[in-house]
Amino acid sequence: MLVIAGVSIVFHNMSGDSAVGSGSQVALVTGGYDHTIKLWQAHSGVCLRTMQHPDSQVNDLEINPNGQMVAACGYQHIRTYDLASANPDPVMNFENIIKNVSRVGFQENGQWMYTGGEDCTARIWDLRVGRPFQCQRIFEVPAPVNAAVLHPDQSQIIVGGQTGIIHIWDIRTDHHEQLIPEAEASIQDIAIDPEGKLMAAVNNKGNCYVWSLGGSPPRPVPRTKLQAHKKYALRCKFSYDSTMLVTTSGDWSARVWRTSDWSLMRELRHDSQRWVWDAAFTLDSRYLFTGSSDSYARLWDLEKGTLEREYCGHQKSITALAFRDQAV
């Protein structure tokens, strides 16, 4: 239990116990332009370990379903690291990749991984077969991929590209459909809420588009458009209880929106943070982590709108973070 400003914060470790002590903490992982990935003790702000990500910045981080590994993607590489050991080096390398890999994620049981990148593809990697791991499926699109997300029912990967087209790829049938929310506006990120009922996308003009998802297979129906930011939007993510959507931007802010009426709930801003590249909610949806160009990660109390903790250790911009406090 962490007490900040009179408020008790309970994070949980991988065994479901309170995260007290140094052994089995919840996983807060950050990465950026200094070619390192850092594992933090979330409740204290102490950096537990620094892992090397040579040759490239970190574009995205994703913790696998059992919480033991983190995948990192960057320029021409995908690497995975063991969070449960003291090994600072990657334990798996996915080579022979061209250009930047922008997004990485896992199937719900960790049997396969998906990626999207500037080679104009989304890819599925089967993690059950022996090394070297090979790409099993490729979905080609006409522009570099900035965003890729797996629907909670595991049936669709939604892919967003620099030409503004959103591709809905049904991985069971290979059928795909397209959405164009705004012509000539690059899709920067896509999110689907945990219930699989809402989808959001942000673009380089600062706009956020929201759809309702229904049916089988899920199909999007336009819900609303938000002028989320006045300039470049970078990421969007739903809270675990589906009541909030966070958008981050080059305007030095993260904004939290209520999904009940799409009103602005909080603007999280710090004088030094500059671009806010990534964000992650805690499981109870009360707190939010952000990572910024000033090399800091921050923990915010969403009920109060207050900054509760800073994580200092990176030498350059933090461009990706991942957080897990689920008991498994």
Side-chain angles (χ1 to χ4, degrees):
M1 180 178 292
L2 166 64
V3 180
I4 300 177
V7 178
S8 298
I9 303 175
V10 179
F11 296 125
H12 288 88
N13 62 22
M14 303 310 172
S15 301
D17 303 320
S18 294
V20 179
S22 60
S24 52
Q25 301 301 323
V26 297
L28 171 63
V29 188
T30 58
Y33 271 93
D34 61 0
H35 295 188
T36 67
I37 297 169
K38 293 183 181 291
L39 173 64
W40 302 87
Q41 191 177 61
H43 73 276
S44 69
V46 172
C47 180
L48 299 174
R49 183 151 52 94
T50 298
M51 295 161 279
Q52 302 304 311
H53 191 264
D55 307 323
S56 167
Q57 78 284 353
V58 179
N59 292 329
D60 195 21
L61 292 167
E62 184 76 12
I63 298 170
N64 74 338
N66 68 17
Q68 301 301 306
M69 309 283 290
V70 63
C73 62
Y75 181 67
Q76 296 186 335
H77 289 93
I78 308 162
R79 299 186 172 99
T80 61
Y81 298 80
D82 186 351
L83 295 176
S85 79
N87 182 7
D89 299 318
V91 294
M92 290 187 285
N93 285 283
F94 298 75
E95 306 290 350
N96 301 317
I97 300 167
I98 63 172
K99 301 187 178 182
N100 264 311
V101 182
S102 306
R103 291 291 184 267
V104 61
F106 289 95
Q107 180 260 357
E108 62 181 356
N109 297 321
Q111 295 180 351
W112 47 268
M113 184 174 71
Y114 64 93
T115 59
E118 290 183 353
D119 64 350
C120 304
T121 69
R123 296 170 181 261
I124 291 177
W125 307 80
D126 193 339
L127 303 181
R128 297 169 296 180
V129 299
R131 304 180 192 183
F133 294 103
Q134 300 293 325
C135 175
Q136 302 298 309
R137 306 269 298 278
I138 298 178
F139 177 63
E140 296 183 352
V141 298
V145 172
N146 294 330
V149 64
L150 178 64
H151 191 281
D153 72 4
Q154 314 296 293
S155 70
Q156 297 176 333
I157 295 177
I158 294 84
V159 179
Q162 291 185 11
T163 56
I165 302 174
I166 296 174
H167 304 266
I168 303 173
W169 175 28
D170 189 319
I171 57 178
R172 297 169 301 186
T173 66
D174 270 337
H175 175 76
H176 70 276
E177 298 181 0
Q178 296 183 359
L179 289 173
I180 306 177
E182 185 173 350
E184 299 180 359
S186 174
I187 299 296
Q188 297 304 115
D189 200 24
I190 302 171
I192 300 177
D193 81 308
E195 296 177 357
K197 296 180 179 179
L198 293 170
M199 181 175 78
V202 292
N203 65 26
N204 64 341
K205 295 184 179 180
N207 294 323
C208 176
Y209 292 83
V210 182
W211 296 263
S212 296
L213 297 176
S216 181
R219 295 184 180 276
V221 176
R223 181 81 170 265
T224 192
K225 173 189 173 183
L226 304 171
Q227 186 180 0
H229 301 272
K230 292 184 178 180
K231 59 172 64 174
Y232 221 98
L234 296 166
R235 296 298 293 256
C236 59
K237 290 185 180 178
F238 286 96
S239 61
Y240 285 97
D241 62 5
S242 300
T243 64
M244 292 172 283
L245 173 74
V246 63
T247 59
T248 74
S249 172
D251 69 0
W252 299 26
S253 76
R255 291 180 174 176
V256 181
W257 308 85
R258 298 178 182 90
T259 59
S260 58
D261 59 5
W262 302 106
S263 61
L264 180 63
M265 175 182 168
R266 294 288 181 198
E267 181 178 77
L268 306 175
R269 187 180 289 272
H270 189 278
D271 289 343
S272 70
Q273 70 186 6
R274 295 181 288 168
W275 284 39
V276 184
W277 287 93
D278 205 354
F281 286 94
T282 57
L283 183 61
D284 62 8
S285 301
R286 179 170 176 181
Y287 299 92
L288 182 79
F289 293 93
T290 58
S292 310
S293 286
D294 64 354
S295 76
Y296 281 78
R298 293 181 170 89
L299 174 67
W300 305 85
D301 185 320
L302 295 178
E303 291 186 3
K304 298 178 179 179
T306 53
L307 174 62
E308 302 295 348
R309 185 161 300 285
E310 293 184 319
Y311 302 83
C312 176
H314 283 280
Q315 301 303 309
K316 295 183 179 180
S317 299
I318 293 177
T319 51
L321 60 79
F323 178 71
R324 174 177 290 271
D325 57 344
Q326 296 100 320
V328 297

